[in-house]
Amino acid sequence: MSILVTGGTGFIGSHTVVELLENNEDVVVVDNFVNSSPDVIDKIKQITGKDFSFYEVDILDREKLEKVFEENSIDSVIHFAGLKAVGESVQKPLEYYHNNITGTLVLLETMRKYNCKEIVFSSSATVYGNPGVDKYAESLGRGKTTNPYGTTKAMIEKILEDLYTSDNSWKICMLRYFNPIGAHKSGLIGDNPNGIPNNLMPYIQKVAVGELKELSVFGNDYNTVDGTGVRDYIHVVDLANGHIKALSKLKTYNPGVYVYNLGSGKGCSVLELIKTFEKVNNVKVPYKIAPRRPGDIDVVCADPTKAKEELNWCTQKTIEDMCKDSWNYIKNVSLIKNN
């Protein structure tokens, strides 16, 4: 039996595929390369020394997706595929709602048709909205989301809950990520979005290698240690391992809907992250203070207790590890680009 990974060449998806293959799982990947590159396929094979099935498929394309299910014995799905930039979602709400929600509906309908009823869903801490607490526990439930991206994640969570209510033979695990950064220790795969990045670490990376002149730090008047926003950063390999644990746990769980935070439980400010990156990599990251972005809040931090107790999962890697691995990866990319 195989595990289908949608969006498996993206940042988090590719690292999860590596961990699955290294756990000797049979993996099938679908992706449409909207926010990734075909060369990731060869890099995953290079890292693991293992092969896997790949289909260039947009999950909105029901006919092509059904072909994947027809040609493989798929018994579980890890669902990453979706548009993911908060800022862009504000500019393009219809595209985000159509792509993320309709794509998920097509996937779930196809799973149901082929009697595959086990899914791990890539959700987000954005579903909490702004609950006014420093640490977010799963018991808070979904709050008022502040952007269309977060709203699509919250709506998909609700769809999954309603699906289970209608057919309680499903096993569903929803993983709420905090802020994934870092890269694989090989330097072969990491986060390298096209254009000016929406997220902090890729922006730091591009400034550090000289692709961008300086970093914009949005706001320095928050109620935090140094006035800049505090976030809970998690190494992407730790995050990938969270999916392995969740999938493994679903095999032993009764059918139901399970929700876990994946975060470190420790906050780090924007300036602390910049200074750590500079220190461990011996590089300079010029920055300027820019106005706050609408919707940004002071502190976003996970309470990861439930994942530790029920999944036996917790983060292993430090902020220093995240900064070193991010730099190792982007140097590799820059070297290849300039040759």
Side-chain angles (χ1 to χ4, degrees), residues 4 21 28 55-56 59 124 138 169 176 197 208 268 274 304 316:
L4 175 66
L21 291 170
V28 178
Y55 294 79
E56 186 173 352
I59 60 169
S124 164
E138 295 87 348
S169 63
R176 293 174 178 165
C268 175
I274 294 167
Q316 304 292 322

Side-chain angles (χ1 to χ4, degrees), residues 57 59 61-69 106-107 110:
V57 169
I59 60 169
D61 189 330
R62 188 184 301 269
E63 196 177 311
K64 285 186 179 175
L65 190 61
E66 287 196 1
K67 186 168 180 273
V68 176
F69 278 81
V106 171
L107 173 66
T110 307

Side-chain angles (χ1 to χ4, degrees), residues 112-175:
R112 182 174 62 185
K113 180 174 178 178
Y114 290 88
N115 200 34
C116 171
K117 295 185 176 180
E118 195 169 281
I119 184 168
V120 176
F121 171 56
S122 160
S123 192
S124 164
T126 55
V127 302
Y128 290 113
N130 183 2
V133 295
D134 282 354
K135 285 206 174 183
Y136 299 4
E138 295 87 348
S139 55
L140 284 169
R142 290 184 293 271
K144 186 179 179 186
T145 50
T146 57
N147 55 74
Y149 163 75
T151 306
T152 66
K153 293 294 188 184
M155 290 172 81
I156 293 167
E157 284 196 5
K158 179 63 177 152
I159 288 165
L160 289 166
E161 289 168 355
D162 289 346
L163 176 61
Y164 173 74
T165 301
S166 74
D167 174 1
N168 56 19
S169 63
W170 283 78
K171 292 184 176 183
I172 296 164
C173 187
M174 307 188 297
L175 299 177

Side-chain angles (χ1 to χ4, degrees), residues 226-260:
D226 56 24
T228 62
V230 167
R231 297 294 179 266
D232 185 337
Y233 295 98
I234 172 175
H235 197 294
V236 66
V237 173
D238 281 337
L239 186 63
N241 279 314
H243 294 77
I244 312 302
K245 295 274 193 183
L247 202 56
S248 171
K249 200 70 180 176
L250 277 188
K251 304 289 180 197
T252 65
Y253 276 168
N254 292 323
V257 180
Y258 303 92
V259 185
Y260 298 101

Side-chain angles (χ1 to χ4, degrees), residues 195-314:
I196 294 178
N198 292 286
N199 296 325
L200 179 59
M201 182 55 85
Y203 208 141
I204 289 174
Q205 291 171 301
K206 285 182 182 283
V207 172
V209 293
E211 276 188 48
L212 296 173
K213 182 188 167 192
E214 63 185 358
L215 174 71
S216 292
V217 175
F218 298 106
N220 65 345
D221 57 349
Y222 289 102
N223 184 25
T224 61
V225 61
D226 56 24
T228 62
V230 167
R231 297 294 179 266
D232 185 337
Y233 295 98
I234 172 175
H235 197 294
V236 66
V237 173
D238 281 337
L239 186 63
N241 279 314
H243 294 77
I244 312 302
K245 295 274 193 183
L247 202 56
S248 171
K249 200 70 180 176
L250 277 188
K251 304 289 180 197
T252 65
Y253 276 168
N254 292 323
V257 180
Y258 303 92
V259 185
Y260 298 101
N261 287 335
L262 294 185
S264 71
K266 299 174 190 141
C268 175
S269 77
V270 173
L271 289 183
E272 284 172 335
L273 188 64
I274 294 167
K275 287 169 185 171
T276 303
F277 190 95
E278 289 182 326
K279 183 181 174 184
V280 300
N281 298 315
N282 196 27
V283 292
K284 290 302 292 176
V285 180
Y287 67 87
K288 65 176 181 184
I289 303 299
R292 288 188 184 203
R293 291 179 300 191
D296 273 355
I297 52 186
D298 301 38
V299 178
V300 178
C301 201
D303 178 347
T305 307
K306 190 180 174 194
K308 186 172 185 180
E309 290 175 350
E310 296 185 16
L311 298 181
N312 191 29
W313 174 90
C314 62

